[in-house]
Amino acid sequence: MKFLVVGSGGREHAIALQLAKSERVEEVIVAPGNGGITGTKITTIAISEQEHQNLADLAREKHVDYAIVGPEVPLLAGLADVLEEAGVPTLGPSQKAALIEGSKDFAKQFMKKYAIPTAEFQTFTDYETAKAYLDKQGAPIVIKADGLAAGKGVVVAETMEIATIALKDMLLEDKFSKAGEHKVVIEEFLSGEEFSLMAFVNGEAVYPMEIAQDHKRAYEGDKGPNTGGMGAYSPVRHIDSSLVDTAVRTVLEKTALGLVQEGRPFKGILYAGLIATEEGPKVIEFNARFGDPETQVVLPRLESDFASLVADLLDGKVPDVRFKTEGTTLGVVLASSGYPGDYETGKPLKRLADLTDEVHVFHAGTKAEKDGAFVSNGGRVLLLQTEAESMNAARAKLYKEMEKLDDPNFFYRMDIGTREE
Ligand code: AMP
Ligand code: GLY
């Protein structure tokens, strides 16, 4: 089999490596990939995720059997539709189905209609009305800009002052949206453990993966601004498996069925960001794709053949989805100093070559220099990942290697996985 993987982050690196493990896979083409995405059977090609027609042409020329689209932006722009029209079965939803991620307002209205458990909410476009609602609800409260904002359009406000500033930023300024298109969702603050539940979905058929826990805030102790994710681990044993089963039924299965009923059948990875509240699991967000960095800790735990799984799912067969039950997989992100705000790129990753094979490196924002060394080229630079029999052992092993990357140009969180110890 030949696969095309679209995207350029650590997630796509993990997808490509997992595909390449399969004996049935002859080649994995990653477009555009990044300097660090290399390996046997893996080739990268410099076609960006916006070049839909070029990607479809490439897939046909290279006789690609299946495509996997990693990021949300091309999905929301309709890349899966273009690939499917070109006859390439694609793991990634249509533009219509991807709206479950693309619009928080759509997702909230959808959940209300299909009685999918989520935080109470209201949507506003007018500042005065929104402010009146805010005053009535009080803090803590959550303010979300509608539309994609790479995790940055959400403010969890502990105080009314913070909430009011966020509301002004989102409704009166153009910080989070194009001019004139202001919409916010104000929602109830949910307290409880957060976890990520992803599933392989084709229409009504839902095949869940092991759960993972991401660490979204930039700094230790869950302080600082929201990021794309600073580290993750899987499985999450302190979250009850019966609660996860409930989430599969009340969230994933209902969502897949609801999307079919709405005429937006979903084919791809459905990701539910959930909070385990006292009343059971509730949705805080949906993504229409694999999570990043969750994928880097979940996919390597797959015991069944990933390529066959994807092929079967897309061919409408029942895929074999089995995960390791033993051990823990941990991943820690190395980010550029300043991320998720402004940061500089082109900083050398001096000791990358000194890392032992105790850890795996997933490249996200890196660039290969002529001499084979790597420099930084993004906010999230790379992720180190390892597996061990316990979280304690995994943390010891991983942070020992991570130390080799200590450098004022970069930072990472020391507390990834500590909730599981
Ligand atoms: P989102 O982009 O919707 O995933 O939100 C980013 C982060 O904000 C989430 O990962 C949560 O940690 C937090 N968050 C979002 N919505 C809520 C909520 N209703 N209650 C508590 N925390 C939330
Ligand atoms: N790690 C969260 C996300 O992929 O959206």
Side-chain angles (χ1 to χ4, degrees), residues 214 216 228-229 271 285 287 289-294:
D214 187 10
K216 291 205 175 147
Y271 166 130
E285 67 162 343
N287 291 325
R289 50 163 178 88
F290 277 113
D292 188 346
E294 288 91 333

Side-chain angles (χ1 to χ4, degrees), residues 104 142 144 154 156 187-190 194 216 284-285:
K104 293 198 191 289
V142 182
K144 301 185 175 184
V154 175
V156 179
E187 80 177 31
E188 171 198 6
F189 172 79
L190 297 176
E194 191 172 339
K216 291 205 175 147
I284 48 171
E285 67 162 343

Side-chain angles (χ1 to χ4, degrees), residues 101-113:
E101 169 164 8
S103 165
K104 293 198 191 289
D105 184 37
F106 171 79
K108 295 298 283 189
Q109 304 294 351
F110 173 86
M111 284 188 271
K112 195 167 166 184
K113 180 166 172 189

Side-chain angles (χ1 to χ4, degrees), residues 71-347:
E72 63 277 17
V73 174
L75 288 169
L76 277 150
L79 175 57
D81 306 79
V82 174
L83 290 170
E84 289 271 345
E85 270 161 35
V88 187
T90 299
L91 187 73
S94 66
Q95 186 173 33
K96 266 168 103 176
L99 202 61
I100 195 78
E101 169 164 8
S103 165
K104 293 198 191 289
D105 184 37
F106 171 79
K108 295 298 283 189
Q109 304 294 351
F110 173 86
M111 284 188 271
K112 195 167 166 184
K113 180 166 172 189
Y114 290 93
I116 293 160
T118 187
E120 289 297 319
F121 74 101
Q122 276 201 34
T123 306
F124 299 92
T125 49
D126 169 64
Y127 176 76
E128 294 304 327
T129 333
K131 179 71 170 72
Y133 178 78
L134 183 67
D135 289 339
K136 201 170 92 217
Q137 299 298 313
I141 194 146
V142 182
I143 322 266
K144 301 185 175 184
D146 195 40
L148 291 180
K152 291 164 209 156
V154 175
V155 176
V156 179
E158 279 101 46
T159 66
M160 286 300 281
E161 200 187 342
I162 297 172
T164 309
I165 293 171
L167 208 57
K168 279 188 182 151
D169 281 351
M170 291 182 201
L171 284 178
L172 302 178
E173 313 278 331
D174 285 334
K175 284 193 191 164
F176 294 93
S177 53
K178 281 175 254 136
E181 290 173 27
H182 303 288
K183 202 189 249 185
V184 300
V185 174
I186 301 186
E187 80 177 31
E188 171 198 6
F189 172 79
L190 297 176
S191 78
E193 282 272 315
E194 191 172 339
F195 65 101
S196 310
L197 171 61
M198 301 187 280
F200 300 97
V201 174
N202 190 353
E204 289 176 34
V206 172
Y207 307 96
M209 299 181 217
E210 281 283 7
I211 63 170
Q213 194 165 50
D214 187 10
H215 298 61
K216 291 205 175 147
R217 300 291 194 102
Y219 315 128
E220 271 128 42
D222 293 328
K223 300 271 186 318
N226 259 310
T227 70
M230 294 297 294
Y233 64 93
S234 178
V236 188
R237 294 201 170 82
H238 66 276
I239 292 180
D240 211 40
S241 66
S242 67
L243 186 128
V244 179
D245 293 342
T246 304
V248 171
R249 275 184 290 107
T250 62
V251 176
L252 294 182
E253 290 177 357
K254 270 180 152 182
T255 301
L257 181 60
L259 286 170
V260 170
Q261 287 170 357
E262 292 291 304
R264 299 171 188 268
F266 191 98
K267 190 165 76 169
I269 305 301
L270 183 62
Y271 166 130
L274 297 160
I275 291 194
T277 74
E278 280 174 4
E279 296 162 9
K282 292 193 182 180
V283 177
I284 48 171
E285 67 162 343
F286 279 118
N287 291 325
R289 50 163 178 88
F290 277 113
D292 188 346
E294 288 91 333
T295 305
Q296 293 90 309
V297 296
V298 172
L299 273 192
R301 299 186 57 79
L302 198 60
E303 239 171 28
S304 44
D305 183 281
F306 181 46
S308 304
L309 190 175
V310 174
D312 286 344
L313 183 86
L314 296 179
D315 294 347
K317 297 182 196 153
V318 176
D320 178 15
V321 183
R322 274 175 298 117
F323 285 87
K324 282 180 202 160
T325 50
E326 305 288 303
T328 292
T329 305
L330 173 70
V332 176
V333 169
L334 181 80
S336 295
S337 292
Y339 172 78
D342 295 337
Y343 55 82
E344 289 174 21
T345 57
K347 304 292 179 194

